[in-house]
Amino acid sequence: MIVRNCAGGVVFHGHKVFILKNDKDEWVLPKGKIRNGFLPTETALERVECESGIVDAEIISTAGETNYEFFSYSRQQPVFNVIIWYIMECNDEKFMINKEEGFTGGGFFDIDEAVEKITYSQDKSLVRLSYKKYLKLKEFPIGDIEKEEVLV
């Protein structure tokens, strides 16, 4: 089995999060393999910029780690991806989907809409938990969200 260390970003602009639609019709977060000599933080920022065109994303905190396994037909063996996630924010909603990387759509969505679109349950949980942490870090007004929900 191949083990790949990866890094990615949960990118917020205000009360919206950025997600991508890939060529398999899956809604995902920007991420990629950590190459030799690169730090996870560098990889996460680079993949966000490369896949989404968001150039001003900044890491404000760690978000956690997820992992999954799949079978690689090109390598003819299982691959186990371990992804280190970072909470990021950007100054505006400018983006440009990188179709050469196999993405067909994407954008900033309200949290509930994004969570509904996201394909994988662990990514849904990651976005919800990251948003709660993001709100605490930024001390945003909570608005429609119940205060006790954010403090969980």
Side-chain angles (χ1 to χ4, degrees), residues 9-18 57 60 86-92 108-109 111 126-135 140:
V10 184
V11 185
F12 294 100
H13 175 71
H15 297 287
K16 294 184 176 184
V17 66
F18 185 84
I60 60 170
Y86 296 93
I87 297 172
M88 301 180 187
E89 78 173 337
C90 59
N91 294 322
D92 57 44
F108 285 92
F109 296 90
I111 304 305
L126 177 70
V127 167
R128 284 221 183 270
L129 292 170
S130 295
Y131 182 57
K132 289 176 183 180
K133 188 172 183 180
Y134 176 66
L135 289 175
F140 277 143

PDB file of all heavy atoms in Angstrom, residues 9-18 57 60 86-92 108-109 111 126-135 140:
ATOM      1  N   GLY A   9      -6.811  23.065   2.397  1.00  0.00           N
ATOM      2  CA  GLY A   9      -7.357  24.224   3.084  1.00  0.00           C
ATOM      3  C   GLY A   9      -8.869  24.274   3.095  1.00  0.00           C
ATOM      4  O   GLY A   9      -9.515  23.923   2.104  1.00  0.00           O
ATOM      5  N   VAL A  10      -9.400  24.702   4.228  1.00  0.00           N
ATOM      6  CA  VAL A  10     -10.815  25.024   4.362  1.00  0.00           C
ATOM      7  C   VAL A  10     -10.850  26.550   4.348  1.00  0.00           C
ATOM      8  O   VAL A  10     -10.516  27.195   5.337  1.00  0.00           O
ATOM      9  CB  VAL A  10     -11.415  24.454   5.665  1.00  0.00           C
ATOM     10  CG1 VAL A  10     -12.909  24.718   5.724  1.00  0.00           C
ATOM     11  CG2 VAL A  10     -11.109  22.967   5.806  1.00  0.00           C
ATOM     12  N   VAL A  11     -11.195  27.118   3.186  1.00  0.00           N
ATOM     13  CA  VAL A  11     -11.036  28.553   2.940  1.00  0.00           C
ATOM     14  C   VAL A  11     -12.353  29.277   3.158  1.00  0.00           C
ATOM     15  O   VAL A  11     -13.349  29.006   2.482  1.00  0.00           O
ATOM     16  CB  VAL A  11     -10.531  28.815   1.500  1.00  0.00           C
ATOM     17  CG1 VAL A  11     -10.266  30.297   1.303  1.00  0.00           C
ATOM     18  CG2 VAL A  11      -9.284  27.996   1.206  1.00  0.00           C
ATOM     19  N   PHE A  12     -12.323  30.250   4.076  1.00  0.00           N
ATOM     20  CA  PHE A  12     -13.505  31.044   4.388  1.00  0.00           C
ATOM     21  C   PHE A  12     -13.345  32.476   3.904  1.00  0.00           C
ATOM     22  O   PHE A  12     -12.248  33.032   3.907  1.00  0.00           O
ATOM     23  CB  PHE A  12     -13.746  31.075   5.907  1.00  0.00           C
ATOM     24  CG  PHE A  12     -14.096  29.737   6.484  1.00  0.00           C
ATOM     25  CD1 PHE A  12     -13.136  28.977   7.137  1.00  0.00           C
ATOM     26  CD2 PHE A  12     -15.383  29.227   6.358  1.00  0.00           C
ATOM     27  CE1 PHE A  12     -13.452  27.742   7.668  1.00  0.00           C
ATOM     28  CE2 PHE A  12     -15.710  27.981   6.890  1.00  0.00           C
ATOM     29  CZ  PHE A  12     -14.734  27.246   7.556  1.00  0.00           C
ATOM     30  N   HIS A  13     -14.461  33.028   3.501  1.00  0.00           N
ATOM     31  CA  HIS A  13     -14.585  34.473   3.283  1.00  0.00           C
ATOM     32  C   HIS A  13     -15.875  34.856   3.998  1.00  0.00           C
ATOM     33  O   HIS A  13     -16.969  34.518   3.540  1.00  0.00           O
ATOM     34  CB  HIS A  13     -14.658  34.840   1.802  1.00  0.00           C
ATOM     35  CG  HIS A  13     -14.899  36.295   1.592  1.00  0.00           C
ATOM     36  ND1 HIS A  13     -13.930  37.241   1.863  1.00  0.00           N
ATOM     37  CD2 HIS A  13     -15.990  36.971   1.187  1.00  0.00           C
ATOM     38  CE1 HIS A  13     -14.435  38.440   1.610  1.00  0.00           C
ATOM     39  NE2 HIS A  13     -15.679  38.290   1.201  1.00  0.00           N
ATOM     40  N   GLY A  14     -15.724  35.477   5.154  1.00  0.00           N
ATOM     41  CA  GLY A  14     -16.906  35.782   5.960  1.00  0.00           C
ATOM     42  C   GLY A  14     -17.602  34.500   6.361  1.00  0.00           C
ATOM     43  O   GLY A  14     -16.996  33.593   6.922  1.00  0.00           O
ATOM     44  N   HIS A  15     -18.883  34.424   6.030  1.00  0.00           N
ATOM     45  CA  HIS A  15     -19.684  33.262   6.415  1.00  0.00           C
ATOM     46  C   HIS A  15     -19.860  32.283   5.256  1.00  0.00           C
ATOM     47  O   HIS A  15     -20.854  31.555   5.201  1.00  0.00           O
ATOM     48  CB  HIS A  15     -21.035  33.709   6.961  1.00  0.00           C
ATOM     49  CG  HIS A  15     -20.899  34.537   8.209  1.00  0.00           C
ATOM     50  ND1 HIS A  15     -20.557  33.987   9.427  1.00  0.00           N
ATOM     51  CD2 HIS A  15     -21.007  35.863   8.414  1.00  0.00           C
ATOM     52  CE1 HIS A  15     -20.484  34.944  10.337  1.00  0.00           C
ATOM     53  NE2 HIS A  15     -20.751  36.096   9.747  1.00  0.00           N
ATOM     54  N   LYS A  16     -18.896  32.269   4.343  1.00  0.00           N
ATOM     55  CA  LYS A  16     -18.926  31.343   3.212  1.00  0.00           C
ATOM     56  C   LYS A  16     -17.635  30.533   3.177  1.00  0.00           C
ATOM     57  O   LYS A  16     -16.604  30.978   3.658  1.00  0.00           O
ATOM     58  CB  LYS A  16     -19.092  32.111   1.895  1.00  0.00           C
ATOM     59  CG  LYS A  16     -20.436  32.804   1.766  1.00  0.00           C
ATOM     60  CD  LYS A  16     -20.575  33.463   0.419  1.00  0.00           C
ATOM     61  CE  LYS A  16     -21.961  34.066   0.281  1.00  0.00           C
ATOM     62  NZ  LYS A  16     -22.147  34.632  -1.067  1.00  0.00           N
ATOM     63  N   VAL A  17     -17.728  29.347   2.570  1.00  0.00           N
ATOM     64  CA  VAL A  17     -16.568  28.465   2.430  1.00  0.00           C
ATOM     65  C   VAL A  17     -16.419  28.089   0.958  1.00  0.00           C
ATOM     66  O   VAL A  17     -17.408  27.983   0.230  1.00  0.00           O
ATOM     67  CB  VAL A  17     -16.711  27.208   3.329  1.00  0.00           C
ATOM     68  CG1 VAL A  17     -17.853  26.316   2.872  1.00  0.00           C
ATOM     69  CG2 VAL A  17     -15.402  26.439   3.407  1.00  0.00           C
ATOM     70  N   PHE A  18     -15.174  27.868   0.542  1.00  0.00           N
ATOM     71  CA  PHE A  18     -14.891  27.533  -0.850  1.00  0.00           C
ATOM     72  C   PHE A  18     -14.852  26.018  -1.029  1.00  0.00           C
ATOM     73  O   PHE A  18     -14.176  25.316  -0.280  1.00  0.00           O
ATOM     74  CB  PHE A  18     -13.539  28.117  -1.284  1.00  0.00           C
ATOM     75  CG  PHE A  18     -13.274  27.905  -2.743  1.00  0.00           C
ATOM     76  CD1 PHE A  18     -13.786  28.783  -3.674  1.00  0.00           C
ATOM     77  CD2 PHE A  18     -12.545  26.817  -3.179  1.00  0.00           C
ATOM     78  CE1 PHE A  18     -13.580  28.581  -5.033  1.00  0.00           C
ATOM     79  CE2 PHE A  18     -12.335  26.593  -4.527  1.00  0.00           C
ATOM     80  CZ  PHE A  18     -12.855  27.482  -5.455  1.00  0.00           C
ATOM     81  N   ALA A  57      -5.182  33.700   0.157  1.00  0.00           N
ATOM     82  CA  ALA A  57      -5.575  32.902   1.325  1.00  0.00           C
ATOM     83  C   ALA A  57      -4.440  32.902   2.355  1.00  0.00           C
ATOM     84  O   ALA A  57      -3.265  32.819   2.000  1.00  0.00           O
ATOM     85  CB  ALA A  57      -5.900  31.474   0.906  1.00  0.00           C
ATOM     86  N   ILE A  60      -4.978  30.593   9.264  1.00  0.00           N
ATOM     87  CA  ILE A  60      -5.203  31.205  10.574  1.00  0.00           C
ATOM     88  C   ILE A  60      -5.207  30.174  11.705  1.00  0.00           C
ATOM     89  O   ILE A  60      -5.105  30.534  12.861  1.00  0.00           O
ATOM     90  CB  ILE A  60      -6.486  32.063  10.607  1.00  0.00           C
ATOM     91  CG1 ILE A  60      -7.721  31.241  10.301  1.00  0.00           C
ATOM     92  CG2 ILE A  60      -6.361  33.240   9.652  1.00  0.00           C
ATOM     93  CD1 ILE A  60      -9.016  31.986  10.545  1.00  0.00           C
ATOM     94  N   TYR A  86      -5.962  22.919   7.115  1.00  0.00           N
ATOM     95  CA  TYR A  86      -5.758  24.226   7.721  1.00  0.00           C
ATOM     96  C   TYR A  86      -6.980  25.106   7.464  1.00  0.00           C
ATOM     97  O   TYR A  86      -7.548  25.082   6.365  1.00  0.00           O
ATOM     98  CB  TYR A  86      -4.512  24.909   7.141  1.00  0.00           C
ATOM     99  CG  TYR A  86      -3.263  24.144   7.459  1.00  0.00           C
ATOM    100  CD1 TYR A  86      -2.754  23.198   6.579  1.00  0.00           C
ATOM    101  CD2 TYR A  86      -2.608  24.331   8.679  1.00  0.00           C
ATOM    102  CE1 TYR A  86      -1.623  22.467   6.894  1.00  0.00           C
ATOM    103  CE2 TYR A  86      -1.472  23.589   8.990  1.00  0.00           C
ATOM    104  CZ  TYR A  86      -0.989  22.667   8.094  1.00  0.00           C
ATOM    105  OH  TYR A  86       0.130  21.933   8.415  1.00  0.00           O
ATOM    106  N   ILE A  87      -7.339  25.869   8.484  1.00  0.00           N
ATOM    107  CA  ILE A  87      -8.383  26.889   8.324  1.00  0.00           C
ATOM    108  C   ILE A  87      -7.709  28.105   7.711  1.00  0.00           C
ATOM    109  O   ILE A  87      -6.691  28.582   8.206  1.00  0.00           O
ATOM    110  CB  ILE A  87      -9.032  27.244   9.671  1.00  0.00           C
ATOM    111  CG1 ILE A  87      -9.737  26.014  10.258  1.00  0.00           C
ATOM    112  CG2 ILE A  87      -9.992  28.421   9.510  1.00  0.00           C
ATOM    113  CD1 ILE A  87     -10.239  26.216  11.675  1.00  0.00           C
ATOM    114  N   MET A  88      -8.300  28.591   6.623  1.00  0.00           N
ATOM    115  CA  MET A  88      -7.761  29.750   5.922  1.00  0.00           C
ATOM    116  C   MET A  88      -8.851  30.786   5.725  1.00  0.00           C
ATOM    117  O   MET A  88     -10.042  30.462   5.774  1.00  0.00           O
ATOM    118  CB  MET A  88      -7.230  29.341   4.544  1.00  0.00           C
ATOM    119  CG  MET A  88      -6.142  28.305   4.570  1.00  0.00           C
ATOM    120  SD  MET A  88      -5.629  27.932   2.870  1.00  0.00           S
ATOM    121  CE  MET A  88      -4.518  26.581   3.161  1.00  0.00           C
ATOM    122  N   GLU A  89      -8.410  32.011   5.490  1.00  0.00           N
ATOM    123  CA  GLU A  89      -9.374  33.027   5.089  1.00  0.00           C
ATOM    124  C   GLU A  89      -8.773  33.857   3.973  1.00  0.00           C
ATOM    125  O   GLU A  89      -7.551  33.919   3.810  1.00  0.00           O
ATOM    126  CB  GLU A  89      -9.822  33.894   6.266  1.00  0.00           C
ATOM    127  CG  GLU A  89      -8.873  34.950   6.697  1.00  0.00           C
ATOM    128  CD  GLU A  89      -9.470  35.858   7.764  1.00  0.00           C
ATOM    129  OE1 GLU A  89     -10.695  35.976   7.871  1.00  0.00           O
ATOM    130  OE2 GLU A  89      -8.680  36.456   8.491  1.00  0.00           O
ATOM    131  N   CYS A  90      -9.657  34.462   3.194  1.00  0.00           N
ATOM    132  CA  CYS A  90      -9.210  35.333   2.107  1.00  0.00           C
ATOM    133  C   CYS A  90     -10.025  36.623   2.159  1.00  0.00           C
ATOM    134  O   CYS A  90     -11.065  36.698   2.814  1.00  0.00           O
ATOM    135  CB  CYS A  90      -9.324  34.639   0.759  1.00  0.00           C
ATOM    136  SG  CYS A  90     -10.976  34.104   0.340  1.00  0.00           S
ATOM    137  N   ASN A  91      -9.520  37.648   1.468  1.00  0.00           N
ATOM    138  CA  ASN A  91     -10.110  38.980   1.550  1.00  0.00           C
ATOM    139  C   ASN A  91     -11.306  39.209   0.650  1.00  0.00           C
ATOM    140  O   ASN A  91     -12.060  40.157   0.860  1.00  0.00           O
ATOM    141  CB  ASN A  91      -9.046  40.044   1.243  1.00  0.00           C
ATOM    142  CG  ASN A  91      -7.970  40.068   2.305  1.00  0.00           C
ATOM    143  OD1 ASN A  91      -8.255  39.903   3.482  1.00  0.00           O
ATOM    144  ND2 ASN A  91      -6.733  40.249   1.886  1.00  0.00           N
ATOM    145  N   ASP A  92     -11.459  38.410  -0.386  1.00  0.00           N
ATOM    146  CA  ASP A  92     -12.608  38.588  -1.278  1.00  0.00           C
ATOM    147  C   ASP A  92     -13.001  37.233  -1.865  1.00  0.00           C
ATOM    148  O   ASP A  92     -12.404  36.222  -1.540  1.00  0.00           O
ATOM    149  CB  ASP A  92     -12.306  39.611  -2.382  1.00  0.00           C
ATOM    150  CG  ASP A  92     -11.095  39.241  -3.214  1.00  0.00           C
ATOM    151  OD1 ASP A  92     -10.953  38.054  -3.600  1.00  0.00           O
ATOM    152  OD2 ASP A  92     -10.273  40.127  -3.487  1.00  0.00           O
ATOM    153  N   PHE A 108     -17.655  29.992  -3.610  1.00  0.00           N
ATOM    154  CA  PHE A 108     -17.943  30.229  -2.205  1.00  0.00           C
ATOM    155  C   PHE A 108     -19.434  30.013  -1.980  1.00  0.00           C
ATOM    156  O   PHE A 108     -20.258  30.559  -2.708  1.00  0.00           O
ATOM    157  CB  PHE A 108     -17.556  31.652  -1.807  1.00  0.00           C
ATOM    158  CG  PHE A 108     -16.081  31.852  -1.654  1.00  0.00           C
ATOM    159  CD1 PHE A 108     -15.313  32.293  -2.720  1.00  0.00           C
ATOM    160  CD2 PHE A 108     -15.458  31.574  -0.451  1.00  0.00           C
ATOM    161  CE1 PHE A 108     -13.947  32.475  -2.585  1.00  0.00           C
ATOM    162  CE2 PHE A 108     -14.090  31.744  -0.299  1.00  0.00           C
ATOM    163  CZ  PHE A 108     -13.336  32.198  -1.370  1.00  0.00           C
ATOM    164  N   PHE A 109     -19.750  29.229  -0.960  1.00  0.00           N
ATOM    165  CA  PHE A 109     -21.134  28.923  -0.634  1.00  0.00           C
ATOM    166  C   PHE A 109     -21.376  29.147   0.853  1.00  0.00           C
ATOM    167  O   PHE A 109     -20.454  28.964   1.659  1.00  0.00           O
ATOM    168  CB  PHE A 109     -21.454  27.454  -0.967  1.00  0.00           C
ATOM    169  CG  PHE A 109     -21.367  27.134  -2.424  1.00  0.00           C
ATOM    170  CD1 PHE A 109     -20.165  26.698  -2.984  1.00  0.00           C
ATOM    171  CD2 PHE A 109     -22.476  27.256  -3.245  1.00  0.00           C
ATOM    172  CE1 PHE A 109     -20.070  26.398  -4.330  1.00  0.00           C
ATOM    173  CE2 PHE A 109     -22.394  26.955  -4.603  1.00  0.00           C
ATOM    174  CZ  PHE A 109     -21.190  26.532  -5.140  1.00  0.00           C
ATOM    175  N   ILE A 111     -22.415  28.146   4.472  1.00  0.00           N
ATOM    176  CA  ILE A 111     -21.970  26.905   5.109  1.00  0.00           C
ATOM    177  C   ILE A 111     -22.966  25.766   4.923  1.00  0.00           C
ATOM    178  O   ILE A 111     -22.583  24.665   4.505  1.00  0.00           O
ATOM    179  CB  ILE A 111     -21.680  27.130   6.613  1.00  0.00           C
ATOM    180  CG1 ILE A 111     -20.653  28.252   6.804  1.00  0.00           C
ATOM    181  CG2 ILE A 111     -21.226  25.827   7.276  1.00  0.00           C
ATOM    182  CD1 ILE A 111     -19.340  28.085   6.064  1.00  0.00           C
ATOM    183  N   LEU A 126     -15.643  18.205   8.746  1.00  0.00           N
ATOM    184  CA  LEU A 126     -14.480  19.093   8.786  1.00  0.00           C
ATOM    185  C   LEU A 126     -14.899  20.541   8.554  1.00  0.00           C
ATOM    186  O   LEU A 126     -14.452  21.445   9.268  1.00  0.00           O
ATOM    187  CB  LEU A 126     -13.457  18.660   7.730  1.00  0.00           C
ATOM    188  CG  LEU A 126     -12.226  19.543   7.604  1.00  0.00           C
ATOM    189  CD1 LEU A 126     -11.321  19.396   8.817  1.00  0.00           C
ATOM    190  CD2 LEU A 126     -11.469  19.197   6.325  1.00  0.00           C
ATOM    191  N   VAL A 127     -15.764  20.779   7.589  1.00  0.00           N
ATOM    192  CA  VAL A 127     -16.213  22.151   7.295  1.00  0.00           C
ATOM    193  C   VAL A 127     -17.007  22.706   8.470  1.00  0.00           C
ATOM    194  O   VAL A 127     -16.782  23.839   8.895  1.00  0.00           O
ATOM    195  CB  VAL A 127     -17.023  22.207   5.984  1.00  0.00           C
ATOM    196  CG1 VAL A 127     -17.752  23.536   5.844  1.00  0.00           C
ATOM    197  CG2 VAL A 127     -16.096  21.980   4.793  1.00  0.00           C
ATOM    198  N   ARG A 128     -17.928  21.929   9.012  1.00  0.00           N
ATOM    199  CA  ARG A 128     -18.736  22.408  10.152  1.00  0.00           C
ATOM    200  C   ARG A 128     -17.849  22.749  11.354  1.00  0.00           C
ATOM    201  O   ARG A 128     -17.990  23.807  11.961  1.00  0.00           O
ATOM    202  CB  ARG A 128     -19.770  21.364  10.558  1.00  0.00           C
ATOM    203  CG  ARG A 128     -20.939  21.303   9.612  1.00  0.00           C
ATOM    204  CD  ARG A 128     -22.233  21.152  10.389  1.00  0.00           C
ATOM    205  NE  ARG A 128     -23.345  21.013   9.498  1.00  0.00           N
ATOM    206  CZ  ARG A 128     -24.058  22.028   9.022  1.00  0.00           C
ATOM    207  NH1 ARG A 128     -23.733  23.250   9.350  1.00  0.00           N
ATOM    208  NH2 ARG A 128     -25.074  21.820   8.224  1.00  0.00           N
ATOM    209  N   LEU A 129     -16.933  21.844  11.714  1.00  0.00           N
ATOM    210  CA  LEU A 129     -16.053  22.087  12.861  1.00  0.00           C
ATOM    211  C   LEU A 129     -15.099  23.253  12.595  1.00  0.00           C
ATOM    212  O   LEU A 129     -14.839  24.066  13.481  1.00  0.00           O
ATOM    213  CB  LEU A 129     -15.269  20.821  13.206  1.00  0.00           C
ATOM    214  CG  LEU A 129     -16.096  19.663  13.762  1.00  0.00           C
ATOM    215  CD1 LEU A 129     -15.269  18.392  13.829  1.00  0.00           C
ATOM    216  CD2 LEU A 129     -16.668  20.016  15.122  1.00  0.00           C
ATOM    217  N   SER A 130     -14.591  23.343  11.385  1.00  0.00           N
ATOM    218  CA  SER A 130     -13.683  24.437  11.030  1.00  0.00           C
ATOM    219  C   SER A 130     -14.400  25.775  11.089  1.00  0.00           C
ATOM    220  O   SER A 130     -13.830  26.782  11.519  1.00  0.00           O
ATOM    221  CB  SER A 130     -13.101  24.224   9.631  1.00  0.00           C
ATOM    222  OG  SER A 130     -12.297  23.074   9.604  1.00  0.00           O
ATOM    223  N   TYR A 131     -15.651  25.801  10.657  1.00  0.00           N
ATOM    224  CA  TYR A 131     -16.431  27.040  10.685  1.00  0.00           C
ATOM    225  C   TYR A 131     -16.644  27.499  12.127  1.00  0.00           C
ATOM    226  O   TYR A 131     -16.501  28.686  12.437  1.00  0.00           O
ATOM    227  CB  TYR A 131     -17.760  26.838   9.970  1.00  0.00           C
ATOM    228  CG  TYR A 131     -18.604  28.086   9.904  1.00  0.00           C
ATOM    229  CD1 TYR A 131     -18.114  29.260   9.329  1.00  0.00           C
ATOM    230  CD2 TYR A 131     -19.898  28.091  10.399  1.00  0.00           C
ATOM    231  CE1 TYR A 131     -18.892  30.407   9.257  1.00  0.00           C
ATOM    232  CE2 TYR A 131     -20.681  29.228  10.327  1.00  0.00           C
ATOM    233  CZ  TYR A 131     -20.178  30.376   9.760  1.00  0.00           C
ATOM    234  OH  TYR A 131     -20.962  31.513   9.696  1.00  0.00           O
ATOM    235  N   LYS A 132     -16.958  26.570  13.011  1.00  0.00           N
ATOM    236  CA  LYS A 132     -17.139  26.926  14.421  1.00  0.00           C
ATOM    237  C   LYS A 132     -15.850  27.504  14.994  1.00  0.00           C
ATOM    238  O   LYS A 132     -15.861  28.515  15.701  1.00  0.00           O
ATOM    239  CB  LYS A 132     -17.592  25.711  15.228  1.00  0.00           C
ATOM    240  CG  LYS A 132     -19.010  25.295  14.915  1.00  0.00           C
ATOM    241  CD  LYS A 132     -19.394  24.034  15.646  1.00  0.00           C
ATOM    242  CE  LYS A 132     -20.798  23.600  15.243  1.00  0.00           C
ATOM    243  NZ  LYS A 132     -21.218  22.387  15.924  1.00  0.00           N
ATOM    244  N   LYS A 133     -14.735  26.869  14.683  1.00  0.00           N
ATOM    245  CA  LYS A 133     -13.445  27.359  15.168  1.00  0.00           C
ATOM    246  C   LYS A 133     -13.117  28.715  14.549  1.00  0.00           C
ATOM    247  O   LYS A 133     -12.620  29.624  15.222  1.00  0.00           O
ATOM    248  CB  LYS A 133     -12.345  26.333  14.846  1.00  0.00           C
ATOM    249  CG  LYS A 133     -11.007  26.640  15.474  1.00  0.00           C
ATOM    250  CD  LYS A 133     -10.043  25.474  15.275  1.00  0.00           C
ATOM    251  CE  LYS A 133      -8.721  25.719  15.957  1.00  0.00           C
ATOM    252  NZ  LYS A 133      -7.787  24.598  15.768  1.00  0.00           N
ATOM    253  N   TYR A 134     -13.406  28.857  13.269  1.00  0.00           N
ATOM    254  CA  TYR A 134     -13.177  30.113  12.551  1.00  0.00           C
ATOM    255  C   TYR A 134     -13.962  31.258  13.201  1.00  0.00           C
ATOM    256  O   TYR A 134     -13.421  32.348  13.422  1.00  0.00           O
ATOM    257  CB  TYR A 134     -13.580  29.931  11.094  1.00  0.00           C
ATOM    258  CG  TYR A 134     -13.484  31.165  10.234  1.00  0.00           C
ATOM    259  CD1 TYR A 134     -12.258  31.757   9.947  1.00  0.00           C
ATOM    260  CD2 TYR A 134     -14.622  31.725   9.672  1.00  0.00           C
ATOM    261  CE1 TYR A 134     -12.168  32.876   9.137  1.00  0.00           C
ATOM    262  CE2 TYR A 134     -14.546  32.838   8.857  1.00  0.00           C
ATOM    263  CZ  TYR A 134     -13.317  33.408   8.591  1.00  0.00           C
ATOM    264  OH  TYR A 134     -13.235  34.516   7.789  1.00  0.00           O
ATOM    265  N   LEU A 135     -15.222  31.000  13.523  1.00  0.00           N
ATOM    266  CA  LEU A 135     -16.049  32.028  14.168  1.00  0.00           C
ATOM    267  C   LEU A 135     -15.452  32.457  15.504  1.00  0.00           C
ATOM    268  O   LEU A 135     -15.410  33.642  15.825  1.00  0.00           O
ATOM    269  CB  LEU A 135     -17.478  31.531  14.383  1.00  0.00           C
ATOM    270  CG  LEU A 135     -18.346  31.379  13.142  1.00  0.00           C
ATOM    271  CD1 LEU A 135     -19.683  30.765  13.516  1.00  0.00           C
ATOM    272  CD2 LEU A 135     -18.532  32.701  12.430  1.00  0.00           C
ATOM    273  N   PHE A 140     -16.578  36.718  15.058  1.00  0.00           N
ATOM    274  CA  PHE A 140     -17.654  37.229  14.217  1.00  0.00           C
ATOM    275  C   PHE A 140     -18.963  37.215  14.989  1.00  0.00           C
ATOM    276  O   PHE A 140     -19.172  36.349  15.840  1.00  0.00           O
ATOM    277  CB  PHE A 140     -17.853  36.332  12.987  1.00  0.00           C
ATOM    278  CG  PHE A 140     -16.924  36.633  11.863  1.00  0.00           C
ATOM    279  CD1 PHE A 140     -16.429  35.599  11.095  1.00  0.00           C
ATOM    280  CD2 PHE A 140     -16.552  37.920  11.536  1.00  0.00           C
ATOM    281  CE1 PHE A 140     -15.583  35.847  10.033  1.00  0.00           C
ATOM    282  CE2 PHE A 140     -15.705  38.183  10.487  1.00  0.00           C
ATOM    283  CZ  PHE A 140     -15.221  37.145   9.729  1.00  0.00           C
TER     284      PHE A 140
END
